[in-house]
Amino acid sequence: MNTPFDPARAVMDYPRRDTRDKVTGRTRYTVDSAGSGALHGVLVRASSAPARILRIDTSAASAMPGVHAIATAADAPGLHGIGIADHPLFATDTIRYPGEPFAAIAAETPEQARAAAAAIVLETEALPAAITMAQALAEGAPLIHPDWRSYETLTDGALRGGNVAWEARVDRGDVDAAFARDDVTVVDSCYRVGRQNQMPFEPRAAVASYEDGRYHIHCSTQAPWTVRNVTATALGVHPSRVRVTVPAVGGGFGLKFDCSIEPFAAILAHKSGRTVSVVNPRDEEMLTCLCRENAEIRIRSAIAPDGTIAAREAVVLMDCGAYGGEQVFLTTMTAHTLGGNYRLGATRLVSRAVYTNTPPNGAFRACNGTYNTFALERHTDEICAAIGMDRLAFRRLNVLGDGDLGATGQVFQGEVLRPMLDRMETLRAGSGSRRAQADNRLYGRATTVGTWFIFVGPSAATVNLNADGSATLVTAGVEIGQGTMMQALPQIVAANLGLHPSDVIVKTADTDAAGRDLGVGGGRTTVSIGAASQAACAEVRDKLLAVASEMLQTKPENLVLTKGRVEIAGHPGSGTSIAKVVERAEALSGPIAGSGAFTAPGEKAMPGCAAGHFIDAIDIPVFAVHDCELAVDPDTGHVEILAYRVVQDVGRALNPRAVHGQIQGGVVQGLGYALFEEMTVNAQGAMEQAGFESYLMPLAQDVLPVEIDLYEGAPSIGPLGTKGAGEVPILNVGAVVACAVADALGKPVGELPLTPPRVLALIDGPSAPLDHPHISRRWADNILP
């Protein structure tokens, strides 16, 4: 029997233990790990696409000084992907996007490797291109993957065809009948967003070796088990032949949730017999970045006379680039982001991942959610204008509450969003309006809501009690800068075992030592790995108390763990140290250790509502309310944020200071997305931004203080009532800024980012709303037959 403990003792503003090393430059990242004896690998990339490969000649390159290995498609026969196996490691018969690798070289120096790369002969024949989603979906468009039918489907329920890599649908209720009612107001809106680059300071990097018939990849990744499995698939070997270790990661934001350059390093290490380091230079990192995807959206709503939403229909086109990648999975998200926030009547949604001849896209913090929340909240304000209803009153009337149905028919628990709107009103009243600071500029204000959810899925953990009474936590979790491995997880383990977090050692990720984990992303680490860690602690606690009860001659249920000791409840000082109990246990039965696991419990959707989804219902919803005041300069189009406020649903904040840091950082990153960050694609399908000089990001002077209120107590299955806090802060930012700009200008805003030229065009131009002719108003035209 376990002795209960007070979850409140896990809550503290515990500082990051890695801060000093990071700010003094002592932390070693993958880019620091190659060593003097490693070869340098480079990828040889195609400069133009699409094209048919006629000939690749590597003979001259092979004979060049310092070259030890050259790899091509023959060395990596497997196709990989998410949902569908459509992605080769090297271009084989076809180059589908500018920058696609068709060879890799390992040489003694980077200069020798680059010289050999320039010596490889590539002969191609140009093919017709589809650069935009409109081009890719047009009748008679060239197929990016003419052999798409031959690809292995990895997930049941696939909806795909032609240039539609994947399609996810929701169909609940009689939508046509609701729109046909003569008493509803129909609002039809279109929206568009560009790509956003994650821009971590540390680029993608991998150091690989091949010894004793196994590959060892030391790399900068958020998902070591994904790297293990994708590398094995691409190389055609068993996954057990691949070991992945991960040091501190210099930022990821979703970019490193995919496997990318790691298999190239592994192949070159095998072929050369040497350790090989592959590090993307910044221009290649930009050229092939797995960006947040560009998207195009149409939403139609039928609003009843009482202001409720009788029906909603939406089409979301997501550009996945030349291969399906993360966007195949992310089609699922639309049901829970664009289909979130509000109680809906009849609902019909489709999200399509569309192939184009552009670099593949990937995951980025609150992936899919940022632009769907932007579209949904702008559409909500347009509804309010159409029916003459106050924007906050409409939201209070319609937000999801206890017992309400989500888009896929799941039943939500708890009244969360309405109280959060109340808290925002209190927060705003306490700090006052900033209207006076607008001076002669155009003043705007908006409040928006957002729905996100925690990716749960499989996680495993082992906790070992050490001879000195400390504990070691072994997981496949990765420290990517978010602090979870340095703060939340030690706090959870320490609270369970009566230790201080400083007495909990967290081992860096190693797939040979830790059980499978889905990866660090989606706000899942504290929840999933935390739950697995808590389960492991329960086993450790049982073993520890069983030995201590024999030593102290009392029942286990009479014992408590506190301050590194086992005490008899109510009698401080009556017990003994955990170290002495561990010593006794080792003499009796051996070291004390415990293992735990966690996975998605599987919230239920309404049967028959969802098709093509990876997740039909969400296990842990997370809500956010953001409020923004801003001023728009009518002469320059420059937008200045005057005040920014956040009420965030956190479940239980284990480390309030850390959560505040995540919110502050997420808002600043979101302001970049809202106001100036955009990766543009030229007419040939190549990225136009090559580095920090040409890609505009928030700088120190763009950071503003965020007023924050942590909303605790909402239902959660997370350990100690927690929810992930790192993903959701960016969710509403583009939405609330766009709504506030629209409020300032008195004109519809349908596109992000709101750069000064784009804002000036809104000020000076007509008020005609954005339209997407390639997204039909006829539902059947927007779905696969």
Side-chain angles (χ1 to χ4, degrees):
M1 176 178 177
N2 294 332
T3 300
F5 68 93
D6 181 6
R9 75 187 190 191
V11 178
M12 64 178 73
D13 285 327
Y14 180 61
R16 294 181 59 123
R17 63 181 68 178
D18 58 346
T19 303
R20 183 177 297 276
D21 283 349
K22 284 190 171 178
V23 300
T24 57
R26 296 180 60 187
T27 300
R28 291 182 60 81
Y29 300 94
T30 301
V31 293
D32 305 312
S33 305
S36 58
L39 300 177
H40 296 269
V42 300
L43 305 188
V44 189
R45 302 180 183 275
S47 58
S48 61
R52 180 177 295 107
I53 297 175
L54 302 177
R55 184 171 74 98
I56 299 175
D57 187 347
T58 63
S59 56
S62 298
M64 293 185 72
V67 173
H68 286 258
I70 297 179
T72 62
D75 299 294
L79 295 175
H80 64 91
I82 299 174
I84 42 174
D86 63 352
H87 199 163
L89 197 60
F90 296 98
T92 50
D93 301 322
T94 305
I95 295 166
R96 293 187 169 89
Y97 68 92
E100 184 165 15
F102 61 90
I105 295 175
E108 291 287 347
T109 68
E111 294 75 18
Q112 289 174 329
R114 286 193 289 269
I120 292 181
V121 176
L122 172 68
E123 291 183 6
T124 63
E125 176 184 55
L127 294 171
I131 304 301
T132 68
M133 290 189 286
Q135 292 170 350
L137 295 174
E139 187 175 353
L143 291 177
I144 313 298
H145 294 263
D147 51 352
W148 64 269
R149 289 183 178 85
S150 69
Y151 294 150
E152 180 186 4
T153 301
L154 306 175
T155 302
D156 294 337
L159 299 172
R160 61 193 188 94
N163 285 334
V164 178
W166 198 273
E167 184 174 284
R169 301 178 200 160
V170 173
D171 197 339
R172 178 172 61 78
D174 193 337
V175 174
D176 292 328
F179 274 99
R181 286 170 47 178
D182 58 10
D183 65 339
V184 299
T185 300
V186 176
V187 180
D188 188 333
S189 316
C190 288
Y191 306 94
R192 179 169 56 217
V193 296
R195 301 187 185 196
Q196 185 185 19
N197 192 314
Q198 297 90 345
M199 293 295 279
F201 282 159
E202 183 192 28
R204 285 168 286 180
V207 178
S209 59
Y210 184 80
E211 298 176 5
D212 301 325
R214 297 185 75 214
Y215 299 89
H216 177 198
I217 305 173
H218 193 67
C219 58
S220 182
T221 181
Q222 295 173 233
W225 279 82
T226 296
V227 170
R228 175 184 187 262
N229 294 334
V230 170
T231 299
T233 297
L235 274 58
V237 301
H238 195 277
S240 63
R241 291 183 59 193
V242 181
R243 177 193 179 198
V244 177
T245 55
V246 186
V249 174
F253 307 112
L255 169 64
K256 298 170 183 176
F257 203 74
D258 285 286
C259 182
S260 56
I261 65 171
E262 297 88 355
F264 298 105
I267 292 171
L268 292 172
H270 188 192
K271 295 196 74 170
S272 67
R274 296 269 297 276
T275 297
V276 175
S277 171
V278 177
V279 179
N280 263 352
R282 183 57 62 179
D283 59 345
E284 290 189 33
E285 189 79 339
M286 299 290 288
L287 177 69
T288 63
C289 176
L290 301 170
C291 292
R292 186 193 305 281
E293 69 275 15
N294 50 300
E296 294 160 353
I297 302 162
R298 181 185 291 278
I299 312 175
R300 294 175 66 232
S301 294
I303 309 302
D306 63 356
T308 57
I309 305 168
R312 174 155 291 158
E313 180 178 278
V315 179
V316 179
L317 303 182
M318 307 163 58
D319 191 340
C320 60
Y323 298 100
E326 288 287 342
Q327 278 59 50
V328 167
F329 172 79
L330 296 180
T331 56
T332 286
M333 303 290 292
T334 292
H336 312 301
T337 53
L338 190 143
N341 291 7
Y342 303 107
R343 181 179 61 255
L344 303 177
T347 308
R348 200 157 56 187
L349 311 172
V350 63
S351 192
R352 315 181 88 186
V354 180
Y355 287 128
T356 59
N357 288 121
T358 63
N361 286 312
F364 193 147
R365 195 177 197 170
C367 37
N368 174 284
T370 50
Y371 58 77
N372 273 331
T373 303
F374 153 66
L376 176 57
E377 291 301 280
R378 281 296 306 122
H379 182 69
T380 299
D381 280 2
E382 290 173 18
I383 289 171
C384 295
I387 66 174
M389 189 171 183
D390 177 78
R391 292 174 295 188
L392 274 177
F394 180 88
R395 286 174 168 85
R396 289 182 190 281
L397 174 66
N398 288 289
V399 290
L400 288 165
D402 189 40
D404 286 339
L405 292 183
T408 61
Q410 83 167 92
V411 179
F412 280 84
Q413 298 177 8
E415 194 69 37
V416 183
L417 271 172
R418 285 186 188 86
M420 289 176 67
L421 284 167
D422 294 339
R423 293 270 281 266
M424 179 57 77
E425 284 294 286
T426 302
L427 187 64
R428 192 167 68 87
S431 60
S433 172
R434 305 296 201 279
R435 181 183 289 271
Q437 296 178 19
D439 298 321
N440 295 320
R441 295 171 295 173
L442 304 172
Y443 170 82
R445 189 185 76 82
T447 301
T448 62
V449 299
T451 304
W452 184 245
F453 67 96
I454 304 303
F455 292 83
V456 278
S459 288
T462 298
V463 173
N464 300 310
L465 273 186
N466 303 315
D468 63 356
S470 65
T472 299
L473 173 64
V474 182
T475 78
V478 175
E479 177 53 51
I480 61 172
Q482 85 283 29
T484 307
M485 310 302 294
M486 301 291 165
Q487 293 169 304
L489 293 183
Q491 287 177 237
I492 289 171
V493 172
N496 275 269
L497 299 181
L499 302 173
H500 189 271
S502 60
D503 294 321
V504 179
I505 303 158
V506 181
K507 191 180 185 307
T508 56
D510 181 342
T511 57
D512 274 7
R516 181 170 176 256
D517 186 76
L518 195 62
V520 173
R524 66 178 302 277
T525 311
T526 298
V527 171
S528 292
I529 299 183
S533 300
Q534 184 157 289
C537 286
E539 184 177 342
V540 168
R541 197 166 60 243
D542 284 348
K543 294 177 180 179
L544 183 68
L545 295 181
V547 175
S549 70
E550 179 263 337
M551 293 174 65
L552 300 174
Q553 295 297 294
T554 188
K555 295 179 181 179
E557 54 264 36
N558 295 332
L559 300 175
V560 294
L561 301 175
T562 180
K563 298 180 180 180
R565 292 177 58 81
V566 184
E567 302 281 16
I568 298 173
H571 300 280
S574 60
T576 186
S577 69
I578 289 176
K580 288 183 178 178
V581 179
V582 171
E583 181 182 9
R584 177 64 174 164
E586 290 184 351
L588 291 175
S589 56
I592 295 178
S595 295
F598 179 80
T599 193
E603 186 71 27
K604 300 298 182 185
M606 187 180 292
C609 284
H613 283 70
F614 291 76
I615 302 171
D616 288 348
I618 56 182
D619 290 300
I620 306 178
V622 186
F623 301 105
V625 178
H626 287 210
D627 182 273
C628 176
E629 295 180 75
L630 53 75
V632 180
D633 189 320
D635 297 320
T636 66
H638 178 262
V639 176
E640 180 187 358
I641 308 299
L642 303 177
Y644 204 100
R645 307 174 182 93
V646 173
V647 178
Q648 182 163 315
D649 166 26
V650 297
R652 181 194 292 270
L654 293 185
N655 193 317
R657 184 168 63 183
V659 175
H660 276 244
Q662 286 295 316
I663 293 173
Q664 177 73 56
V667 167
V668 172
Q669 197 171 46
L671 290 175
Y673 184 62
L675 295 175
F676 39 80
E677 288 189 52
E678 185 173 21
M679 293 290 289
T680 55
V681 175
N682 65 22
Q684 290 72 47
M687 299 292 195
E688 294 186 304
Q689 289 74 28
F692 289 105
E693 299 85 358
S694 54
Y695 184 75
L696 300 179
M697 298 176 64
L699 302 176
Q701 62 263 33
D702 300 305
V703 176
L704 76 158
V706 179
E707 300 172 53
I708 299 169
D709 184 355
L710 304 182
Y711 184 86
E712 296 190 278
S716 176
I717 60 170
L720 312 181
T722 57
K723 296 187 178 186
E727 200 88 0
V728 73
I730 197 175
L731 182 71
N732 290 44
V733 185
V736 76
V737 170
C739 289
V741 169
D743 181 58
L745 303 185
K747 291 186 176 182
V749 171
E751 189 168 5
L752 291 180
L754 287 163
T755 59
R758 199 164 276 160
V759 174
L760 279 177
L762 286 170
I763 294 171
D764 299 335
S767 298
L770 180 68
D771 190 29
H772 294 314
H774 54 289
I775 303 180
S776 175
R777 287 180 171 82
R778 182 175 175 269
W779 175 257
D781 295 337
N782 297 311
I783 60 174
L784 293 168

